[in-house]
Amino acid sequence: DDVYSALMLNPPDTTSYPEMMVPISEHRVVSGIPRKAITFVEMPYDTDQHLKSAFRHPIGIPDSMFPFSWKNAITHEQITDL
């Protein structure tokens, strides 16, 4: 099986976890990481849906498409009474 090495970086919020901070003058490398332990994820708010130029349009669905038994919307007055 393939194994990999990774350079350790500081988490974005090092103020909450100072014990996890790698000093700027140091480079820490972790070796022997198996491929099955590596997961690629998107950075928060970095996907296309968060672009200012992303297409957004309200989807209008006529009330007549829903059965009457589904129409149990809570009114603003009911919410404020909770």
Side-chain angles (χ1 to χ4, degrees):
D1 290 342
D2 292 333
V3 291
Y4 298 87
S5 297
L7 176 64
M8 297 300 295
L9 301 174
N10 287 320
D13 183 14
T14 52
T15 57
S16 295
Y17 304 98
E19 69 278 2
M20 293 177 62
M21 187 165 175
V22 176
I24 305 238
S25 60
E26 293 183 22
H27 294 289
R28 294 189 187 167
V29 176
V30 177
S31 300
I33 304 170
R35 173 61 187 98
K36 65 182 178 183
I38 300 172
T39 302
F40 293 95
V41 296
E42 298 283 346
M43 294 292 292
Y45 304 105
D46 201 36
T47 58
D48 289 349
Q49 70 182 4
H50 296 287
L51 294 174
K52 289 186 181 210
S53 60
F55 176 77
R56 290 180 180 84
H57 184 75
I59 300 173
I61 301 176
D63 285 343
S64 60
M65 287 186 68
F66 298 101
F68 183 76
S69 60
W70 291 9
K71 299 178 186 179
N72 60 350
I74 297 174
T75 65
H76 179 69
E77 291 79 22
Q78 291 170 318
I79 292 172
T80 56
D81 289 343
L82 293 178

